[in-house]
Amino acid sequence: MGKEMVQAHSLVYEYKKYDEEGRETDAARAVDQVSLQIQKGEFVAILGHNGSGKSTLAKHMNAILTPTGGTMWVDGKDTRKEEHLWEIRQRAGMVFQNPDNQIIGTIVEEDVGFGPENMGVPTREIWERVEESLKAVNMLKYRHHSPNKLSGGQKQRVAIAGVVAMHPQCIVLDEPTAMLDPNGRKEVIRAVRALNQVEEITVILITHYMEEVIYADKVIVMDQGRVVMEGTPREIFSQVELLKSYRLDVPQATLVAYELKKAGMDLPDGILTREELVEALCRTAAQSSERQIINAAVKDTDSRSFCQKDEQAPAAHKLPGAIKLDHVNYVYGSGTAYEIHALKDINLELGGGEFVGLIGHTGSGKSTLVQHLNGLVKATDGHIYFHGEDIYGAGYDMRRLRSRVGLVFQYPEHQLFEVDVLSDVCFGPKNQGLSKEEAQKRAKAALEMVGLGEEFYYQSPFELSGGQKRRAAIAGVLAMEPEILVLDEPTAGLDPKGRDEILDQISKLHREKKITIVLVSHSMEDVAKYVERIIVMNQGEVLFDDVPREVFRHYKELEQIGLAAPQVTYIMHALKEKGFPVDEDATTVWEAQRTVLEALAGLKS
C-alpha cells in the first residue's frame, strides 16, 4: 500500500488538572508511549473500554490535540508544527458520535458544501464535490431535504459526506453508530466500507460494536492508554478471554463458536461471521466421531445453572398493569406546518413486576411514549391510569407519580449536578420530604444496589468513568424507591463490560426487588438476553407486543422498519436451511449453544 498515512512514535498525552487559582494540581496520562503505523488505504479499527485512551489517540490524528511527548505524523507532517495544521486537517477528517454536533446547514447540500467553501474551493467544484460525496454515502436523493427531518443514520451519513467533500485522504470515525438503530448502523458501516474500497480513503474506526470490526484490515486494542493487542480481526477475536479481560467482547457468531468449542466441539478459532460458523458446523456434522463428546456436552449444558429469564409465563403481560394507556395520542407542533403525530391510539398495560423491552427505529415514538409514563409529557388525547387513577384528573399528585415511576434518560450522566455522589443520590429522596438521615440511608442502599461502594460517596460525580456516572444516575432514581423503573438507552456509548454490568444490575433489581423494568434499547442482543416481553414501536404505533421468541420470529418485518433480530436468530435460520434440526427461534448465545448440541447429537444417534 505504500506510505504511512498515520504514524505515532512513543506518543504521550496528559490531561492537566488545575485548581481555582489556575495552578496545575495533577496530570492524568490518557495516551502512554503509543507507537503505531497505519498505511494509506487501510481500514483500521480501534477498540478499547471507556477511558482506555482511544478517543484521545483519535484526536491526535487530525491535530485537535497535540502530543505532550513523542510524535504524531499525518501523511508525513508533524502535528506539533503549526504551519502543518491546515494541511493535516484537510487530509484527515473527523466524524463524531453525535451527528447533530456536526451538522450546521439548513439544507443537506449546503451542509455538505460548507467545508469545501471554507477551504476556498471554486463554486463550480463545490457543487461537483457535494454531488460526488452524497453519492458516495448514498444520500443524493436527500440533497434538498432539511437535516432535521432525517433519521439518525441518514444524518450521520450526511456528516460523513461533509467530511468526504473536503477530499480527505483519511477519515477518523469516533463511535459513529453509538446512537443509531440497527438499520442506521448498517447504513453507516456500508457507506464507510465503500469509501475505503471504492474511493481508497484510509478509514480509522473507533467502535464498541464488534460486528463492525469484522471487515477491517487491522484491529488495534487499547487499555490504560497503551496498545495491548494488534492484528487481523481473526487473530484478535480468537483470543476471547483476553478481550474480555480488557472489558471487550466478540461478535455473536464468534461467541457461539467459542462456547461450542468449550463444550468439546472441534471448531476453528476466530470464526467471525455467521456464514463461517454455519460452514464449520456443516463440516462437524459430517464427522461421526464426535457423538460421545456432543452427548456429554448436551448433558453439561443442561446441568449448568444459567440465570435464564422465564419466557414460559405465557401471558406475563396479561397481569394487571400498574400503568394503563387508553387510546393515547400525542401530536408535536399541533396546527403548525411541522405537525408530527408521534403516538397514534396507544393501548397498553405495563406493570405487575415485568421486565419489558421497548424497541423501534429512531423516531418511532419510543422516547415520547416513556415520557408519558410519569407525566413529563401530556397526551394530546386519551387517558393514562396509574393504579386505576386518571393521572390527568383534577388535583392528581404528579410529584407522587414521578417518585413511583422513575425515568432514567439516554445520557443519565447529564442528570448529575451535585458536589459529590452521595449528595446527588440524596436529592430525590429529600425532594420527597424525607429527613436527611432517611435520605442518606436510601441513597446508600441505592448505591449498593448499583455496585458503587463507600469509596465513591464523596467523589465528584464528574470525575467518575462513563459506566460509573451511569450507575450513579440510576441510583439517584432508585433511591426514590420507584415501583416502575424506565430506562431510555441506559447503555448507549458504554464499552461491552460496562453495558453488561449495568444490565446485570438492572436484572438483579428486577428479580430481587420485583421492580417493573421498562428498557428502551437499540440492541436486539441485549433485549433478547434480558427481557420477558417486547413492545415494538413503528411510526407511533404498537406493531408487536409479545415474548421475545415470538417477536423475533418476525425478523423480516422488523428489518423493513429499521430493526433486526439478534445475530443468533440469523445463525439458527441459516442452519435450519442446511437441514439442521435446530430451534430456529433461539435468541441468545446460551439457547443457540444448547440447540446446536442437541441437533448434532440427534443427527448422530
Side-chain angles (χ1 to χ4, degrees):
M1 286 187 198
K3 216 165 145 223
E4 287 88 15
M5 185 68 228
V6 173
Q7 192 175 11
H9 180 67
S10 302
L11 183 72
V12 172
Y13 186 79
E14 290 179 344
Y15 286 102
K16 307 270 193 285
K17 292 183 183 175
Y18 300 92
D19 63 16
E20 282 159 13
E21 276 77 51
R23 290 184 297 250
E24 189 181 319
T25 56
D26 197 8
R29 189 167 280 203
V31 173
D32 189 7
Q33 298 291 332
V34 166
S35 296
L36 55 81
Q37 292 185 343
I38 294 169
Q39 305 293 329
K40 285 189 176 174
E42 261 191 318
F43 179 172
V44 175
I46 301 179
L47 303 178
H49 58 79
N50 294 108
S52 63
K54 57 190 189 308
S55 291
T56 305
L57 176 64
K59 285 175 183 155
H60 280 78
M61 292 177 185
N62 78 340
I64 291 175
L65 298 176
T66 51
T68 309
T71 327
M72 170 67 85
W73 291 277
V74 175
D75 199 21
K77 307 261 182 299
D78 185 338
T79 60
R80 287 174 307 184
K81 295 195 170 153
E82 219 158 292
E83 66 267 26
H84 293 160
L85 217 57
W86 179 243
E87 281 180 89
I88 286 167
R89 290 194 180 148
Q90 277 181 271
R91 281 171 198 187
M94 192 114 188
V95 178
F96 296 99
Q97 191 178 102
N98 188 346
D100 291 331
N101 297 343
Q102 260 179 291
I103 290 175
I104 43 174
T106 50
I107 303 291
V108 164
E109 63 178 12
E110 285 173 10
D111 190 84
V112 176
F114 179 79
E117 188 180 9
N118 254 4
M119 288 160 57
V121 173
T123 306
R124 208 177 105 208
E125 195 188 327
I126 290 175
W127 292 116
E128 284 169 9
R129 288 192 186 194
V130 166
E131 190 155 326
E132 71 182 21
S133 305
L134 286 169
K135 244 186 220 158
V137 297
N138 202 17
M139 285 295 287
L140 191 60
K141 62 174 177 282
Y142 295 95
R143 67 183 299 166
H144 301 301
H145 284 56
S146 158
N148 300 334
K149 300 281 182 286
L150 301 178
S151 72
Q154 289 169 333
K155 280 184 188 171
Q156 195 59 288
R157 284 189 284 155
V158 169
I160 292 169
V163 172
V164 171
M166 295 192 281
H167 284 185
Q169 293 170 27
C170 171
I171 296 186
V172 183
L173 302 110
D174 192 0
E175 291 192 53
T177 63
M179 299 175 72
L180 304 181
D181 58 37
N183 197 42
R185 288 206 295 271
K186 261 191 225 147
E187 288 174 353
V188 168
I189 293 303
R190 203 178 293 131
V192 167
R193 286 184 65 203
L195 290 172
N196 175 247
Q197 289 165 351
V198 181
E199 314 283 332
E200 294 180 358
I201 292 174
T202 308
V203 168
I204 298 159
L205 172 70
I206 294 173
T207 183
H208 285 144
Y209 288 103
M210 302 301 133
E211 264 79 14
E212 296 176 357
V213 175
I214 289 167
Y215 303 103
D217 299 309
K218 182 163 75 181
V219 180
I220 292 168
V221 179
M222 291 191 69
D223 180 59
Q224 295 183 325
R226 292 174 175 262
V227 171
V228 289
M229 295 172 80
E230 193 171 335
T232 63
R234 202 175 304 285
E235 287 164 350
I236 298 296
F237 288 139
S238 292
Q239 302 174 69
V240 178
E241 292 305 324
L242 184 57
L243 280 171
K244 283 184 185 281
S245 76
Y246 293 130
R247 301 180 62 87
L248 297 173
D249 208 345
V250 294
Q252 270 210 321
T254 311
L255 192 56
V256 171
Y258 173 75
E259 291 295 342
L260 289 169
K261 197 176 160 93
K262 258 194 347 194
M265 286 185 61
D266 182 20
L267 290 171
D269 280 334
I271 282 174
L272 296 178
T273 64
R274 59 178 184 251
E275 292 78 12
E276 287 178 6
L277 177 57
V278 169
E279 201 180 305
L281 288 171
C282 287
R283 278 200 305 273
T284 299
Q287 297 159 4
S288 58
S289 61
E290 297 220 341
R291 183 179 163 191
Q292 284 170 313
I293 293 172
I294 288 162
N295 281 327
V298 172
K299 284 200 184 94
D300 180 50
T301 313
D302 236 359
S303 62
R304 276 157 74 189
S305 112
F306 283 88
C307 165
Q308 283 296 299
K309 57 192 184 335
D310 179 18
E311 266 190 34
Q312 299 319 309
H317 58 283
K318 298 288 187 274
L319 291 167
I323 295 184
K324 183 178 178 184
L325 286 83
D326 182 24
H327 298 288
V328 167
N329 288 276
Y330 186 75
V331 181
Y332 284 105
S334 189
T336 72
Y338 300 106
E339 184 172 297
I340 295 169
H341 211 137
L343 296 179
K344 302 170 191 169
D345 199 34
I346 303 288
N347 295 289
L348 280 176
E349 285 200 33
L350 296 166
E354 304 175 275
F355 198 143
V356 183
L358 184 60
I359 64 175
H361 57 82
T362 310
S364 63
K366 308 184 298 291
S367 293
T368 305
L369 174 63
V370 297
Q371 286 175 53
H372 278 75
L373 301 181
N374 72 349
L376 277 181
V377 169
K378 187 179 180 196
T380 309
D381 55 55
H383 294 273
I384 296 176
Y385 301 94
F386 185 64
H387 290 302
E389 273 188 273
D390 188 338
I391 71 167
Y392 301 139
Y396 187 83
D397 186 354
M398 274 295 182
R399 216 167 119 179
R400 191 161 155 268
L401 173 71
R402 285 175 193 152
S403 64
R404 294 179 74 186
V405 181
L407 182 54
V408 179
F409 291 103
Q410 187 167 26
Y411 283 91
E413 50 271 36
H414 299 163
Q415 288 170 251
L416 302 169
F417 63 94
E418 282 280 10
V419 288
D420 60 50
V421 169
L422 189 63
S423 307
D424 211 291
V425 180
C426 283
F427 181 80
K430 273 191 191 159
N431 246 9
Q432 289 174 304
L434 298 181
S435 68
K436 187 182 173 185
E437 291 70 29
E438 188 56 34
Q440 282 209 350
K441 195 173 149 194
R442 288 250 204 115
K444 287 173 182 177
L447 284 163
E448 195 181 321
M449 279 184 229
V450 298
L452 293 177
E454 282 181 46
E455 67 274 24
F456 292 99
Y457 288 0
Y458 302 107
Q459 276 194 40
S460 161
F462 306 107
E463 286 176 6
L464 303 178
S465 74
Q468 289 164 347
K469 281 180 183 170
R470 227 35 84 94
R471 286 193 253 168
I474 291 169
V477 174
L478 287 175
M480 297 192 283
E481 295 190 349
E483 191 180 318
I484 296 175
L485 180 61
V486 183
L487 301 123
D488 192 355
E489 294 275 356
T491 63
L494 290 187
D495 58 53
K497 185 77 162 65
R499 172 202 71 204
D500 290 348
E501 284 170 354
I502 294 262
L503 292 173
D504 286 345
Q505 297 278 3
I506 290 164
S507 184
K508 188 170 173 230
L509 282 170
H510 167 246
R511 285 194 314 275
E512 293 178 2
K513 301 278 179 187
K514 305 290 181 273
I515 298 175
T516 296
I517 307 284
V518 179
L519 173 70
V520 180
S521 179
H522 277 149
S523 168
M524 302 304 109
E525 287 74 20
D526 290 349
V527 169
K529 185 175 171 186
Y530 290 96
V531 311
E532 303 153 346
R533 168 190 177 192
I534 295 178
I535 296 166
V536 182
M537 297 288 293
N538 180 40
Q539 296 183 334
E541 297 180 89
V542 173
L543 182 65
F544 297 114
D545 180 0
D546 215 323
V547 294
R549 293 169 72 82
E550 290 300 323
V551 170
F552 289 130
R553 196 169 274 169
H554 299 279
Y555 66 97
K556 288 193 168 139
E557 288 117 293
L558 291 174
E559 284 171 357
Q560 284 165 2
I561 62 162
L563 298 175
Q567 290 295 317
V568 157
T569 305
Y570 294 105
I571 294 165
M572 293 304 104
H573 279 274
L575 284 171
K576 194 85 171 176
E577 280 167 26
K578 295 280 186 189
F580 275 73
V582 289
D583 171 10
E584 62 190 321
D585 296 325
T587 59
T588 66
V589 171
W590 181 80
E591 289 170 350
Q593 180 196 355
R594 168 140 192 80
T595 186
V596 167
L597 290 170
E598 282 177 345
L600 286 168
L603 286 172
K604 297 180 191 313
S605 56

